[in-house]
Amino acid sequence: MLHYAVVFFVIALIAAVLGFGGIAASAAGIAKILFFVFLIMAAVTFVFGRIKR
């Protein structure tokens, strides 16, 4: 999940440099959503891992 967030962030940076503002904004939004989903899933996994022990 974090890998895809980084990929979309790189796409957003390249699109911004080339002047594609709309594509850059949407790719950055997708990257942000994927990053927060990653954080939530990592926290849930950590909590459930601590509960099982």
Side-chain angles (χ1 to χ4, degrees), residues 1-36:
M1 187 72 60
L2 185 60
H3 172 75
Y4 292 124
V6 172
V7 168
F8 275 104
F9 181 69
V10 170
I11 291 172
L13 287 177
I14 292 170
V17 167
L18 294 177
F20 298 108
I23 296 171
S26 62
I30 292 170
K32 188 186 302 185
I33 290 169
L34 288 175
F35 180 71
F36 285 123

